[in-house]
Amino acid sequence: PFPHRDTLLVLALAQPLEGIHRESRTVLLWYFWTLPVLLVFLGSLAWQMAGHALLPLRQLSKAAEVVSSETLSLRISPRGAQDEVDALTVQFNEMLDRLERSFERVKRFTIDASHELRTPITAIRGQLEVALITAKSTEEYRAAIETAMEDVERLSKIVRSLLLLSQAESGQVVLQLVLVDLSTAVKEAAGHFELPAAAKGLRLSVVAPEHCMAHVDPIQFERLAMNLLSNAFKYTRPGDNITVTLSRFEDDVIFTVSDTGPGIAAEHLPFLFDRFYRVRDDGHDEDKGIGLGLSFVQWIAQAHGGNVEVRSTEGQGAAFVVTLPAGDTSNSLRVLPID
């Protein structure tokens, strides 16, 4: 609108709406015809993409269904997408690795334990059967019973050791960490072997500082030291040397028991810390223990957060080196980790 003299004029422009209505109807028609097709296409595409994305999960599900003690070697290859499904696949494979190691350890333990327990039981039965058949006097019966009792004591020792080691590895044993002077503890442990070593013709020496403080479980550390010393004492010959060394390196304590004995062949080294594993020595193993001492040593070292290693060359002696952290400043309890 605009004024013109005394009159208000209005200019109006008009255009037919038929074309616009026709185009609107065409758009609506195409929309309603293509919407179902588009929905079907998008649904199919989403289904295919979801199926492709969930394929590794279906593989994991199928793998979980067939997993048993006979199929623990099964593994699933990651897609390489570096996504959550790949992370789940890697964790699933790692779980199977742990299960396989556990089953192998249990299987080996069962076989070894059966063998170790069967030997004294068979000996006891044979001795008693022979006594029942051939013994005529009280002295013969007494001799048979005494021999059987020796095997019973050996059997009892195996069972007690197995029970303690099983409790330790399952986390039922708790370390009581206190501040201990390891120099005193090592010298006391070595003192138990001075007379037997002298009787056997061995030279036993201890190299340790005046004081070496660390937070350890005193009972378990004593067991570790006694087992290593006992092991060295059993496998050395008259005239050999046994040297016990204790030192401090930064935040670690290094405890070493070495000898100049016959040494250990390279093929035995990877298995020394396995349960019941013993290095055969010309068939004379009656005084070599039951093969659990080094297993205890390894458990005690790992429970303290340390480790143990063996260094040996056949014919040139052996050295067992235990490394324990000494930096703890609290007397808190530490629960043994479960492998």
Side-chain angles (χ1 to χ4, degrees):
F2 59 92
H4 179 67
R5 296 179 183 178
D6 296 333
T7 305
L8 182 64
L9 301 179
V10 176
L11 176 63
L13 300 178
Q15 180 181 3
L17 297 178
E18 182 180 354
I20 297 177
H21 291 165
R22 184 171 58 252
E23 291 178 0
S24 299
R25 288 193 297 270
T26 302
V27 171
L28 289 174
L29 182 63
W30 276 102
Y31 175 77
F32 284 112
W33 274 105
T34 58
L35 180 61
V37 177
L38 183 62
L39 289 176
V40 172
F41 173 74
L42 292 178
S44 177
L45 181 62
W47 181 269
Q48 294 295 330
M49 294 177 62
H52 181 72
L54 294 177
L55 179 60
L57 295 180
R58 288 199 295 269
Q59 292 177 341
L60 285 175
S61 176
K62 292 180 180 179
E65 290 178 356
V66 300
V67 166
S68 65
S69 59
E70 289 78 22
T71 59
L72 288 176
S73 59
L74 175 67
R75 297 295 182 272
I76 299 176
S77 300
R79 299 178 304 162
Q82 303 297 325
D83 55 5
E84 289 78 5
V85 177
D86 268 3
L88 180 61
T89 302
V90 171
Q91 292 176 2
F92 183 81
N93 289 337
E94 291 177 352
M95 178 192 69
L96 290 180
D97 288 337
R98 293 192 297 271
L99 287 176
E100 186 174 18
R101 290 194 298 268
S102 297
F103 270 87
E104 286 297 325
R105 186 163 54 247
V106 170
K107 181 179 179 180
R108 185 172 64 250
F109 168 75
T110 302
I111 295 174
D112 292 341
S114 299
H115 173 75
E116 293 295 329
L117 295 175
R118 183 175 63 248
T119 301
I121 290 176
T122 302
I124 294 170
R125 179 176 179 178
Q127 292 158 4
L128 295 179
E129 287 179 347
V130 170
L132 288 175
I133 296 174
T134 61
K136 303 298 183 181
S137 64
T138 303
E139 289 73 15
E140 292 176 344
Y141 280 111
R142 178 180 294 276
I145 293 174
E146 289 177 351
T147 304
M149 284 300 298
E150 293 177 358
D151 289 320
V152 170
E153 180 59 28
R154 173 180 171 81
L155 183 62
S156 177
K157 181 179 180 182
I158 293 175
V159 173
R160 289 196 303 269
S161 298
L162 285 176
L163 179 60
L164 179 58
L165 189 57
S166 177
Q167 291 175 341
E169 293 184 344
S170 63
Q172 299 180 40
V173 178
V174 178
L175 292 185
Q176 180 65 57
L177 301 181
V178 297
L179 189 62
V180 177
D181 186 353
L182 297 187
S183 294
T184 301
V186 167
K187 292 174 183 177
E188 290 179 354
H192 292 285
F193 291 88
E194 288 181 352
L195 291 179
K200 190 177 178 180
L202 302 174
R203 291 182 291 273
L204 176 62
S205 59
V206 178
V207 179
E210 184 177 357
H211 298 288
C212 183
M213 310 304 295
H215 281 88
V216 299
D217 186 312
I219 296 177
Q220 301 303 337
F221 181 80
E222 181 185 7
R223 175 177 283 121
L224 179 148
M226 294 294 288
N227 283 347
L228 288 180
L229 284 166
S230 175
N231 190 71
F233 180 80
K234 291 174 183 176
Y235 286 92
T236 47
R237 304 155 299 190
D240 288 335
N241 298 327
I242 299 177
T243 304
V244 181
T245 305
L246 183 69
S247 61
R248 182 74 177 264
F249 179 75
E250 296 181 350
D251 294 331
D252 292 331
V253 173
I254 312 299
F255 174 58
T256 305
V257 177
S258 59
D259 62 68
T260 59
I264 305 170
E267 62 268 19
H268 297 299
L269 296 179
F271 310 104
L272 285 181
F273 298 100
D274 291 351
R275 298 176 184 177
F276 298 114
Y277 190 85
R278 286 174 292 178
V279 179
R280 302 297 172 180
D281 182 17
D282 299 328
H284 302 291
D285 295 293
E286 61 275 5
D287 296 327
K288 298 298 191 271
I290 60 177
L292 292 176
L294 292 180
S295 297
F296 273 109
V297 169
Q298 184 182 54
W299 163 72
I300 294 170
Q302 292 177 349
H304 282 83
N307 62 79
V308 57
E309 61 177 327
V310 57
R311 303 167 186 171
S312 178
T313 301
E314 189 172 9
Q316 300 181 16
F320 289 85
V321 182
V322 179
T323 303
L324 299 177
D328 274 338
T329 58
S330 65
N331 291 333
S332 59
L333 297 180
R334 179 180 296 177
V335 180
L336 300 183
I338 300 176
D339 185 6

